[in-house]
Amino acid sequence: MGKFRIGVFDLNNGAPNEGMRCIKYLIEEFFMRKELETDYEVFDVRRGDVLPRYDEFDAYISSGGPGSPLLEGTDWEKRFFSLIDDIIAHNKEHQEKIYFFGICHSFQLLVQHFGLAKITKRRSTSFGVMPTHQVVEDEPLFQGLENPFWVVDSRDYQVIQPNEDAFLSTGARILCLEKERPHVHLERAIMAIRFTPEIIGTQFHPEADAEGMHRHFQTEEKKKAVIESFGEGKLKSMLESLEDPDKIMLTESVIIPTFLETAFNHKMELV
């Protein structure tokens, strides 16, 4: 059996977060389930780590992160997009494909790189455990999830106004939209896109687990911030949602594990 390697891009720019812990846990759990030697490497992208050659890994997971996702032309953005372009070029020419999953900030970067939609700042932060609506019925990574399914959402920006010509020319597909808001006369944001057969991204955090969210909300600083911004009722409903096995526990157990399984099975078929 050939080696299966996973590259992890940390876009948190040194900010403390639970997302990287969750990503590492899901990767380590995957290798344990497959009875394989754990083989992954983390790259601190925004703080200047040299990125790998695109073909050093079989699959990549790229995290969320703080701050504006709007492109600034930085060196790290150029390195990030160069690797994406190399993956796309490789996948067009080779039978053995390389897989890539972009989360939140990474998702917004991919949207801009492919020219698929507009990124704007929201009127207010979207934050909490929320329903997300599937708009296609055949997305393999969402098999086993209800429609809508529940996700952890945490963002100040949104992906809206899809460019239909760009979607047609690239073959990308919108997979999910944010929750329905009948009382709000605003466009619903795009929550997931399959950019190519091997590259997918989500605005939400499929890696989030109940343990990390509980810990996040148990600090006095975070509790106070949520209550001041959204009220005690919002905090209470979020904590209750974390205990529901059909909400984010289910999402966490399906999307990233299925992505890794798909990439792994593809490689094993060619060995």
Side-chain angles (χ1 to χ4, degrees):
M1 180 183 290
K3 293 189 77 173
F4 182 73
R5 303 199 69 208
I6 301 169
V8 180
F9 289 164
D10 180 351
L11 268 63
N12 288 284
N13 204 23
N17 72 96
E18 289 287 340
M20 285 302 299
R21 178 191 61 79
C22 294
I23 290 169
K24 292 174 184 176
Y25 170 79
L26 288 170
I27 290 172
E28 289 164 5
E29 185 182 58
F30 170 81
F31 280 113
M32 191 182 306
R33 190 168 64 250
K34 291 295 181 185
E35 299 182 343
L36 295 174
E37 180 182 348
T38 301
D39 192 353
Y40 74 95
E41 189 172 346
V42 178
F43 299 87
D44 195 341
V45 178
R46 292 170 74 175
R47 294 205 289 180
D49 273 6
V50 175
L51 298 190
R53 267 182 56 90
Y54 69 93
D55 56 358
E56 287 183 41
F57 296 90
D58 302 293
Y60 292 89
I61 298 176
S62 190
S63 80
S68 168
L70 300 178
L71 301 183
E72 298 176 343
T74 59
D75 287 342
W76 74 260
E77 288 172 346
K78 293 172 185 175
R79 290 193 296 269
F80 180 86
F81 291 135
S82 177
L83 183 136
I84 296 295
D85 288 340
D86 286 344
I87 290 174
I88 293 169
H90 169 92
N91 287 346
K92 285 180 178 178
E93 300 294 330
H94 296 84
Q95 187 178 7
E96 186 170 332
K97 310 300 183 185
I98 298 167
Y99 289 75
F100 192 98
F101 196 112
I103 298 168
C104 197
H105 198 109
S106 297
F107 169 72
Q108 294 163 342
L109 295 178
L110 290 169
V111 168
Q112 292 172 90
H113 189 57
F114 282 87
L116 293 176
K118 189 173 182 180
I119 311 281
T120 65
K121 192 161 189 179
R122 290 176 50 88
R123 290 184 178 179
S124 60
T125 301
S126 179
F127 184 70
V129 179
M130 301 178 184
T132 291
H133 293 255
Q134 298 183 55
V135 295
V136 299
E137 297 180 352
D138 58 348
E139 173 47 52
L141 296 196
F142 297 161
Q143 297 303 308
L145 298 175
E146 298 294 327
N147 192 15
F149 62 94
W150 292 82
V151 301
V152 170
D153 195 18
S154 177
R155 60 193 163 95
D156 291 315
Y157 289 80
Q158 60 187 348
V159 176
I160 56 171
Q161 299 177 27
N163 180 331
E164 292 185 12
D165 289 340
F167 272 91
L168 284 172
S169 64
T170 62
R173 300 176 73 200
I174 295 172
L175 305 179
C176 298
L177 296 176
E178 71 180 331
K179 67 179 182 179
E180 295 177 337
R181 302 171 295 171
H183 57 292
V184 178
H185 299 293
L186 294 172
E187 181 182 355
R188 291 165 69 196
I190 299 169
M191 296 299 285
I193 294 173
R194 184 168 282 282
F195 298 94
T196 74
E198 298 82 26
I199 301 175
I200 189 169
T202 63
Q203 178 68 83
F204 57 86
H205 288 266
E207 81 280 17
D209 64 7
E211 174 196 341
M213 291 294 287
H214 265 297
R215 186 162 48 245
H216 184 75
F217 291 125
Q218 290 309 315
T219 65
E220 287 304 318
E221 178 188 359
K222 297 298 182 185
K223 277 201 277 191
K224 183 180 178 183
V226 173
I227 291 170
E228 286 180 353
S229 299
F230 305 103
E232 288 191 29
K234 176 77 166 183
L235 178 62
K236 185 170 183 283
S237 69
M238 281 195 292
L239 291 173
E240 289 174 351
S241 295
L242 297 177
E243 302 297 336
D244 190 332
D246 293 325
K247 290 189 175 179
I248 72 161
M249 288 186 198
L250 180 60
T251 301
E252 182 219 3
S253 73
V254 170
I255 296 179
I256 296 292
T258 304
F259 167 77
L260 294 174
E261 188 78 25
T262 301
F264 176 79
N265 288 343
H266 168 75
K267 177 161 188 174
M268 291 306 105
E269 286 171 2
L270 299 176
V271 172

